[in-house]
Amino acid sequence: MAMSAHRPIVVGVDGSAPALQAVIWGAREAKERGVPLALVTTVSIRGFHGTPGGMPAGFFEQEEGEGRKRLSEATDRAHRAASGLEVESHLCTGSPVLELIERSKTASMVVVGAGHSRLGWERFGSVSSSLVLHTHAPAVVVRDLPYIDVSDITGPVVLGVDGSEDNSRAVELAFDEAARRDVELVAVHAWSDVDVRSPFRFRIDWDAVETRERALLSENLAGYVEQFPDVPVRPIVAMDQPSHNLAAHAANAQWLVLGRRGRGGFPNMLLGSTTWALLHTVLCPLMVVP
């Protein structure tokens, strides 16, 4: 398998509905892969001279109690989702983003819920956005969907293929996940990152462009098609709007896999525009591969 068979799946816990959905999803993935589940929550750092001015005397004790309560609830959800699973609980201090990034160095993947709780991770900004920028392991963002259990969705794995060298690990992981789930892989490639609108469309020899782009897509998939011969692949080539086309094909998917950096970016441009656009909009779990 492309991922380590021993590294844990790490899930960020803040007590919100999206985070609990991420716990359930992560627990089932960990059970399926035979790896531990590591639940992580954070509380504020105590000052060197006791309680900071203006804070109640029992502030830290209360916050630590709430953190342990979050972990206890998340652990219960994990065990209910995947009985017999090995679950680790970690109450940490400081920034949740920095803690998850550090733990991503030894994780098979890091999972967070999409959205914010009013008093939870929101204090530090959007954890999911910050995590995918700097994670060392694949980051999975799971959305909380009323009346839908994302773990029960049985559609294809959708992959965004931009043709860049940085995209190769995302391609490999997408094939691996499709093989593990025994589903079709839908590989979507767009010729242009920008919207090619009229009056420019009539100037484009789309037949010639499409032929060339299909050849490029086939070239990017070729080695993995041979490595995963049992995975059915459906190649999709679009003229433009990659985020729109990926979202459309991911509407009934069980997973969308993207590379972190786009084909047109500079080395220090950590997150591609397509990935950024899809991060908080697609309904299926989104894996961003560094």
Side-chain angles (χ1 to χ4, degrees), residues 168-216:
S168 60
R169 190 180 179 208
V171 175
E172 180 183 10
L173 288 181
F175 268 92
D176 186 71
E177 293 306 325
R180 198 166 60 82
R181 288 167 165 75
D182 193 24
V183 297
E184 178 186 44
L185 176 67
V186 179
V188 180
H189 170 70
W191 169 57
S192 173
D193 287 337
V194 299
D195 188 3
V196 183
R197 298 183 183 274
S198 297
F200 302 104
R201 281 186 186 271
F202 76 92
R203 301 179 184 177
I204 299 170
D205 183 356
W206 176 240
D207 289 340
V209 171
E210 184 179 22
T211 298
R212 186 176 68 243
E213 295 304 306
R214 284 194 179 278
L216 176 63

Side-chain angles (χ1 to χ4, degrees), residues 156-161 184-188 232-236 246 249 256:
V157 170
V158 177
L159 164 68
V161 183
E184 178 186 44
L185 176 67
V186 179
V188 180
V233 179
R234 177 156 50 105
I236 303 292
L246 281 164
H249 287 286
L256 173 60

Side-chain angles (χ1 to χ4, degrees), residues 21-208:
Q21 182 68 271
V23 169
I24 294 169
W25 188 92
R28 291 174 177 173
E29 285 295 315
K31 182 68 178 290
E32 175 71 21
R33 298 166 188 269
V35 299
L37 181 73
L39 305 175
V40 177
T41 197
T42 64
V43 295
S44 301
I45 300 175
R46 291 176 179 268
F48 290 108
H49 303 289
T51 306
M55 301 300 293
F59 171 77
F60 290 107
E61 287 77 9
Q62 180 179 347
E63 193 174 29
E64 288 177 9
E66 291 175 352
R68 295 186 190 284
K69 183 179 178 181
R70 290 195 296 271
L71 288 174
S72 177
E73 181 182 7
T75 300
D76 180 63
R77 291 290 185 98
H79 283 310
R80 279 191 282 166
S83 61
L85 176 67
E86 179 184 347
V87 180
E88 309 165 0
S89 296
H90 302 277
L91 179 64
C92 309
T93 57
S95 163
V97 175
L98 295 179
E99 185 64 36
L100 291 174
I101 291 171
E102 180 62 28
R103 289 182 179 274
S104 74
K105 295 177 180 178
T106 55
S108 60
M109 68 174 74
V110 182
V111 186
V112 292
H116 318 284
S117 64
R118 186 171 61 85
L119 298 175
W121 304 103
E122 189 181 49
R123 293 177 299 175
F124 306 95
S126 172
V127 166
S128 56
S129 300
S130 301
L131 175 65
V132 299
L133 280 169
H134 303 290
T135 181
H136 299 274
V140 179
V141 180
V142 178
R143 192 168 299 279
D144 180 44
L145 303 175
Y147 313 115
I148 298 176
D149 187 336
V150 294
S151 298
D152 292 337
I153 299 174
T154 57
V157 170
V158 177
L159 164 68
V161 183
D162 62 22
S164 69
E165 205 171 300
D166 293 318
N167 197 224
S168 60
R169 190 180 179 208
V171 175
E172 180 183 10
L173 288 181
F175 268 92
D176 186 71
E177 293 306 325
R180 198 166 60 82
R181 288 167 165 75
D182 193 24
V183 297
E184 178 186 44
L185 176 67
V186 179
V188 180
H189 170 70
W191 169 57
S192 173
D193 287 337
V194 299
D195 188 3
V196 183
R197 298 183 183 274
S198 297
F200 302 104
R201 281 186 186 271
F202 76 92
R203 301 179 184 177
I204 299 170
D205 183 356
W206 176 240
D207 289 340

